[in-house]
Amino acid sequence: MQNLECDYLIVGTGAAAMAFVDVMLSESDATFIMVDNHAAPGGHWNDAYPFVRLHQPSSFYGVSSTELGSGKIDTHGPNKGFYELASGPEILAYFDKVMREVFLASGRVQYFPMHTYEGGHEKHVGNVRSLISDEKFTVDVKRSTVDSTFFKTSVPSTHERKYTNDPAVEVIPPNELPRRVARHPAYCVVGGGKTAMDTLVWLMEHGANPDDIAWICPRGSWLINRAGTQPGQENFAESIGGFAAQLEAAATAISPEDLFLKMEAAGVVFRIDENEMPTMVHYATISSGEIATIRKVKNVIKGQRVKHINGDGVVTQADEQINLPSGTLYIDCTASSVEFLDKTTRPMFADTLITIQAVRAPLVSYSAAVVAYVEAHYDDNKKKNSLCTPIMLADNMYEWMVSFFGNMLNQNAFSSEKSFQIWSLKNRLDPFGRVAKSADMTDPKQAEIMVKLRNNAMPAAMNLQKLIAEGAE
């Protein structure tokens, strides 16, 4: 059996793994072996639907060393006026370029696509198997195995549906929609998340009549206003001002519901149905243009989950039959982007294992870059873990408060680490650090926002602790 060696064995080549290795290459002289069961780097982007785009601007996604996109402003479509959102194919091409021109070109990275990791980190040994030849080899790992797969990302084309259908009924993932959309009298989108929303928008942008669309939406969502996620000093009022508004809402809210209503009033978040109190918070980011398009769909079946689809329509888990037109094309969008049901976290740094998790939710790329910086510059695992407390990704309003408070605690932990502050301010994956640092205090509006930030930080932390404790009772 072949035996290789490296300092770090990286499990996965998705965004988190790529962001981690990229920083380690620039901050250390370590060597790496990267193993992934896909044929190309990019993780779940290899399985994504063809019309998928980033939620947030391309300018702070990917790896630290290499820009994604051109920094242009979109001039048409629902993202008009905002910084460009990279498409799935663009992201795959980007990660392929990073792998070839940065990682492999360094001479310190070996890459094994179409291979799977089969454990062994406890003994500083990685067991790896080819998915094609079934050939196995071992890796002598001098430092740590790095698990980048903790979030268990799931997409419609690879997940297992939790409902059944009659053989004659067409149920497809959104990956097949462009090829099979034609010549159907009606459409039914199943699922309440951002994939379902993207699918609704795509259908209507490509000519579907909203009256011919049904949407089975088990839970309403709170959605982040994309206007507040724009980089650049010109967007100071929306980005830094939006964060200041979140702190002000957190400082004065009397419940999770009140907190989100206050953020909605400040323009930080949206809800599609303003008569409904959403329960889901998955960090989905959206524009007001997309919201307006989605609201055109009037046949929204709320609070129901699908048990079976037959020729007459949908049977819910409550055994209620909901009739839909014969020949309806059903688009399954029920995959959860990450595993929200498992609320456990692990220590980020252990003796033989680094488990990449969020240190600033929901910024997975930036979080992985931070974990790499800490690994490269600190020796003691206790110190490393004190700087990088894992934060669970939220599923609901209460959990969003827990995650937001965790972000504040991690930011405070780094506040005295001057070298980290310098590094982070220069890092392209930190969306707003440089913008906040360069605030023009002679500008009355910017000065007011910065004062609001400072004045509300401690009250927000204290009130969040109170609300979190009340919710845990």
Side-chain angles (χ1 to χ4, degrees):
M1 183 182 293
Q2 183 183 16
N3 180 259
L4 303 175
E5 66 176 30
C6 63
D7 293 313
Y8 295 90
L9 173 60
I10 314 296
V11 182
T13 57
M18 299 289 281
F20 178 90
V21 172
D22 183 77
V23 169
M24 289 293 291
L25 283 173
S26 63
E27 301 293 327
S28 77
D29 59 1
T31 59
F32 307 86
I33 289 177
M34 304 186 74
V35 176
D36 192 274
N37 57 14
H38 289 96
H44 76 279
W45 291 103
N46 286 280
D47 307 309
Y49 46 99
F51 50 90
V52 68
R53 288 187 176 273
L54 285 174
H55 295 199
Q56 76 269 34
S58 304
S59 54
F60 51 86
Y61 185 80
V63 304
S64 304
S65 69
T66 307
E67 293 288 336
L68 171 60
S70 58
K72 292 182 178 179
I73 305 294
D74 281 343
T75 58
H76 62 280
N79 195 55
K80 182 179 179 180
F82 295 143
Y83 279 85
E84 62 184 335
L85 309 174
S87 67
E90 287 177 301
I91 294 167
L92 285 176
Y94 167 83
F95 282 130
D96 179 70
K97 178 181 179 180
V98 170
M99 178 62 75
R100 290 183 293 103
E101 299 183 6
V102 180
F103 291 9
L104 298 180
S106 73
R108 292 193 279 142
V109 176
Q110 298 178 71
Y111 170 44
F112 292 88
M114 298 303 294
H115 282 70
T116 186
Y117 169 71
E118 296 186 330
H121 71 84
E122 298 88 350
K123 298 180 180 179
H124 278 287
V125 173
N127 299 307
V128 178
R129 176 175 58 84
S130 168
L131 295 175
I132 296 176
S133 68
D134 216 34
E135 181 183 358
K136 298 180 180 181
F137 63 87
T138 61
V139 181
D140 178 12
V141 183
K142 297 177 182 178
R143 294 292 302 274
S144 290
T145 298
V146 180
D147 181 7
S148 72
T149 67
F150 180 80
F151 292 117
K152 302 179 180 66
T153 303
S154 173
V155 296
S157 65
T158 59
H159 89 123
E160 184 176 344
R161 288 191 279 115
K162 296 181 180 179
Y163 59 88
T164 56
N165 60 276
D166 287 355
V169 176
E170 288 189 83
V171 183
I172 64 170
N175 302 60
E176 298 181 29
L177 187 56
R179 183 172 61 87
R180 297 176 61 177
V181 67
R183 294 180 297 278
H184 286 274
Y187 307 93
C188 179
V189 177
V190 184
K194 186 59 166 57
T195 299
M197 298 175 204
D198 288 348
T199 300
L200 292 167
V201 171
W202 187 91
L203 281 167
M204 285 179 277
E205 283 188 331
H206 287 78
N209 187 328
D211 292 338
D212 295 330
I213 301 173
W215 182 19
I216 299 178
C217 183
R219 291 195 292 165
S221 293
W222 284 108
L223 304 163
I224 299 169
N225 184 351
R226 190 173 294 134
T229 67
Q230 301 300 296
Q233 195 67 30
E234 73 276 15
N235 294 301
F236 188 97
E238 291 77 16
S239 59
I240 308 303
F243 183 67
Q246 290 180 62
L247 288 178
E248 185 174 33
T252 58
I254 59 174
S255 67
E257 292 80 6
D258 184 48
L259 170 58
F260 274 82
L261 290 174
K262 289 178 184 296
M263 290 197 296
E264 180 186 40
V268 175
V269 296
F270 290 127
R271 48 182 165 162
I272 294 171
D273 184 349
E274 295 177 335
N275 296 313
E276 173 189 20
M277 177 59 70
T279 60
M280 185 162 66
V281 187
H282 285 184
Y283 308 99
T285 305
I286 200 166
S287 68
S288 57
E290 289 169 289
I291 290 282
T293 299
I294 293 168
R295 284 175 176 162
K296 294 177 182 178
V297 176
K298 303 304 181 184
N299 186 14
V300 182
I301 302 160
K302 300 178 181 179
Q304 301 284 352
R305 295 187 183 275
V306 176
K307 179 179 179 180
H308 183 76
I309 300 176
N310 56 36
D312 295 324
V314 170
V315 179
T316 70
Q317 289 187 356
D319 289 325
E320 176 187 353
Q321 174 76 46
I322 299 174
N323 291 329
L324 293 171
S326 176
T328 292
L329 178 65
Y330 295 85
I331 305 103
D332 175 59
C333 302
T334 59
S336 181
S337 57
V338 297
E339 184 53 78
F340 291 101
L341 299 179
D342 183 0
K343 299 303 177 186
T344 60
T345 57
R346 305 175 193 167
M348 202 83 73
F349 301 92
D351 290 340
T352 60
L353 181 67
I354 298 172
T355 306
I356 300 177
Q357 298 155 81
V359 296
R360 186 186 294 178
L363 302 178
V364 173
S365 292
Y366 176 72
S367 294
V370 170
V371 173
Y373 181 89
V374 170
E375 170 65 14
H377 290 276
Y378 298 85
D379 295 324
D380 178 58
N381 278 349
K382 184 176 180 180
K383 173 65 174 180
K384 295 177 190 177
N385 283 319
S386 71
L387 292 171
C388 295
T389 301
I391 300 172
M392 68 176 182
L393 298 181
D395 178 55
N396 54 49
M397 289 181 282
Y398 173 81
E399 290 175 3
W400 184 91
M401 293 193 308
V402 174
S403 297
F404 189 78
F405 183 61
N407 286 345
M408 296 178 70
L409 291 179
N410 278 342
Q411 185 66 33
N412 184 64
F414 276 114
S415 61
S416 61
E417 306 294 322
K418 299 301 181 184
S419 60
F420 171 82
Q421 297 291 344
I422 293 170
W423 170 82
S424 187
L425 285 173
K426 296 178 180 178
N427 194 293
R428 61 172 292 270
L429 301 179
D430 183 356
F432 307 123
R434 280 174 290 178
V435 178
K437 190 70 175 179
S438 60
D440 181 3
M441 298 304 287
T442 64
D443 182 313
K445 191 169 186 178
Q446 291 193 23
E448 180 185 359
I449 289 171
M450 294 305 294
V451 169
K452 186 182 292 187
L453 273 175
R454 288 193 293 268
N455 289 347
N456 282 301
M458 184 59 70
M462 294 176 65
N463 194 46
L464 283 171
Q465 279 186 294
K466 173 177 175 290
L467 293 175
I468 290 167
E470 291 173 353
E473 293 176 354

